Amino acid sequence: MQKNTTPCYYGDYLQLDKVLTAQAPESAKYGNEAHDETLFIIVHQVYELWFKQILHELKAVIEVFAAEEVKDQQLTGVLHKLKRIITIQKLLNQQISVIETMTPQDFMSFRDYLVPASGFQSIQFKMLEIGLGLKSDFRIDFDKNSFYSRLNDKDREFLQQLEHQPSLFERVEKWLERMPFLELEKFSFWQMYREATQSMLAEDKTTVQAIVQMSEQDRQQQLAEIERTADKFAALLDNEKYQQLQQAGSFRLSQRAMLSALFITLYQEEPVFNLPFQLLTCLTEIDELLTIWRYKHAMMVQRMLGTKIGTGGSSGHDYLKRTTEKNRIFTDLFHMATFLLPKADLPALPPEIKRRLGFYFAGEM
């Protein structure tokens, strides 16, 4: 049944008169228009449209985690939005292959007309990075010194204000810290995990010492590796050591948030932890796909520019390569694998805790 009171026309609804006339090649101002500049413009315009959609989803997710309580029903919606972001990211990564149909010489035919325009000036991409949790303090040194230098005053002020608002990383961290199951009645996840890891490492040490065919040098190397692993486990559970590692940049999540994420990951099959585990998995994938996008972008720039500097004044490929390696957000979730135990070594949860982590029928009153 029709609900609109005025007819809706396809071209008007999509404002195609604006969209399809929004490509104005700079090369045309100086002589013959470079054929591939239209492709270059459209690819970047499409990027910006998808950035807008990602920001739309991200804003809704952050609003959910801004509340003091996040219900399971809300997590279902959050996961749907995060998975949509992931799907868009995969599309963005594929889109690089479209621009790579342009040869370096095709790019050279119009590149010099674009100075000093640069991807540095994509406000939406910076909003995305900041919104996820990549703020100035966590960027590589080049970014810390020049992140805002290429922007006009209005955009610079807008992003600087955005830096003071809680990011998704910060909201999720607070949500993890509120998880009530780490210490409940007589149960302590900290103590249970410490005993389980000590037992596992002791068994590993005994196994290495019992291998007859192993050379003494290899034996000592493996024993030393077990000791280093033991130190990592110990630091995770020691507040003072953890804070030292956090200040050194080894961890970004707070200790309680990290342990909550670890508890969720270890016991992901418990019904109450299913949605939270999916959430952590989505955040890991978003960070991974963003890293892949940076890497593919760096490779594309190297292919197009070689060792030339970028139009924005950076070192081009070298700069992009460094951001790929360093400008990460949810690295703690990647490092989680360091602290996981095999399922066979997982201690059984006490019945009363397992009951609280499950779904059960209470019966009629």
Side-chain angles (χ1 to χ4, degrees):
M1 181 177 178
Q2 184 173 327
K3 295 184 178 181
N4 56 316
T5 56
T6 57
C8 184
Y9 191 68
Y10 179 83
D12 294 337
Y13 177 63
L14 297 179
Q15 299 189 55
L16 294 181
D17 57 331
K18 296 179 182 178
V19 175
L20 299 180
T21 58
Q23 296 78 40
E26 284 290 306
S27 58
K29 299 177 182 179
Y30 302 94
N32 294 330
E33 178 184 323
H35 176 80
D36 279 12
E37 190 176 359
T38 296
L39 171 69
F40 188 79
I41 293 171
I42 289 175
V43 166
H44 286 81
Q45 287 176 333
V46 172
Y47 270 130
E48 292 295 334
L49 286 172
W50 283 126
F51 290 160
K52 182 174 182 177
Q53 184 64 40
I54 292 175
L55 289 169
H56 181 63
E57 307 296 343
L58 184 60
K59 179 182 178 183
V61 170
I62 291 176
E63 286 175 353
V64 170
F65 283 100
E68 292 186 3
E69 181 182 5
V70 180
K71 300 182 181 298
D72 283 346
Q73 297 91 324
Q74 291 175 296
L75 277 184
T76 301
V78 163
L79 286 171
H80 179 71
K81 293 175 177 63
L82 292 179
K83 288 177 180 179
R84 178 178 290 165
I85 290 174
I86 288 168
T87 301
I88 294 172
Q89 285 183 284
K90 291 177 180 178
L91 184 61
L92 294 179
N93 285 344
Q94 292 172 354
Q95 189 170 302
I96 290 179
S97 63
V98 177
I99 202 168
E100 285 185 330
T101 63
M102 179 174 60
T103 69
Q105 284 185 310
D106 291 333
F107 185 40
M108 290 172 62
S109 66
F110 64 88
R111 175 182 180 261
D112 289 346
Y113 298 129
L114 307 184
V115 177
S118 167
F120 279 123
Q121 297 164 340
S122 173
I123 304 306
Q124 287 198 121
F125 186 68
K126 291 184 183 296
M127 290 171 63
L128 171 59
E129 289 183 317
I130 293 171
L132 286 172
L134 185 58
K135 298 186 177 182
S136 294
D137 289 345
F138 300 100
R139 293 182 176 276
I140 64 172
D141 291 339
F142 182 87
D143 267 0
K144 289 179 182 178
N145 298 326
S146 63
F147 185 65
Y148 292 114
S149 64
R150 293 167 175 79
L151 305 179
N152 60 39
D153 293 341
K154 179 183 176 182
D155 289 339
R156 184 185 306 112
E157 183 179 350
F158 169 74
L159 291 175
Q160 286 174 337
Q161 290 177 352
L162 192 62
E163 292 245 11
H164 296 294
Q165 297 180 19
S167 66
L168 179 61
F169 179 96
E170 293 164 294
R171 292 298 191 190
V172 169
E173 180 181 48
K174 295 300 180 185
W175 171 72
L176 286 169
E177 289 174 348
R178 296 197 300 269
M179 193 184 80
F181 301 110
L182 285 178
E183 294 177 291
L184 198 63
E185 298 172 355
K186 297 180 180 180
F187 172 75
S188 171
F189 170 71
W190 309 57
Q191 184 61 35
M192 182 187 72
Y193 180 73
R194 177 182 285 109
E195 292 172 359
T197 54
Q198 288 175 345
S199 175
M200 180 190 70
L201 292 171
E203 289 181 9
D204 289 346
K205 189 174 182 179
T206 300
T207 299
V208 171
Q209 290 173 331
I211 299 176
V212 178
Q213 295 87 351
M214 183 179 292
S215 69
E216 189 58 31
Q217 182 179 358
D218 288 344
R219 191 189 317 279
Q220 292 305 318
Q221 287 179 346
Q222 291 208 23
L223 290 173
E225 183 59 36
I226 291 173
E227 287 301 319
R228 284 192 289 270
T229 302
D231 289 341
K232 291 176 183 177
F233 280 110
L236 183 66
L237 298 171
D238 186 291
N239 184 53
E240 184 177 343
K241 290 181 180 179
Y242 190 92
Q243 288 186 356
Q244 291 174 354
L245 290 172
Q246 197 173 23
Q247 292 171 0
S250 298
F251 292 108
R252 187 173 167 188
L253 283 171
S254 68
Q255 184 187 27
R256 185 173 182 84
M258 186 69 175
L259 285 170
S260 293
L262 180 60
F263 193 3
I264 290 168
T265 304
L266 285 170
Y267 293 93
Q268 60 191 261
E269 295 175 357
E270 299 298 329
V272 169
F273 284 162
N274 183 260
L275 290 177
F277 175 70
Q278 288 188 57
L279 170 73
L280 298 180
T281 301
C282 282
L283 296 177
T284 304
E285 190 163 359
I286 286 172
D287 201 1
E288 180 178 346
L289 287 169
L290 186 58
T291 301
I292 291 172
W293 185 84
R294 293 184 192 279
Y295 175 78
K296 290 173 73 73
H297 188 201
M299 292 298 98
M300 184 267 291
V301 168
Q302 185 179 36
R303 175 178 174 175
M304 294 293 178
L305 298 181
T307 58
K308 298 186 184 77
I309 63 170
T311 52
S314 73
S315 57
H317 168 260
D318 288 342
Y319 162 76
L320 293 170
K321 183 180 178 182
R322 280 186 288 137
T323 61
T324 299
E325 296 168 349
K326 302 296 183 181
N327 283 357
R328 304 282 296 279
I329 303 164
F330 295 101
T331 50
D332 289 330
L333 301 182
F334 285 86
H335 295 160
M336 192 77 66
T338 305
F339 305 104
L340 296 182
L341 301 172
K343 288 187 177 182
D345 293 331
L346 273 182
L349 294 170
E352 63 274 15
I353 299 300
K354 192 170 181 64
R355 181 176 174 83
R356 293 196 182 195
L357 296 178
F359 300 131
Y360 56 91
F361 178 65
E364 296 183 2
M365 299 299 292

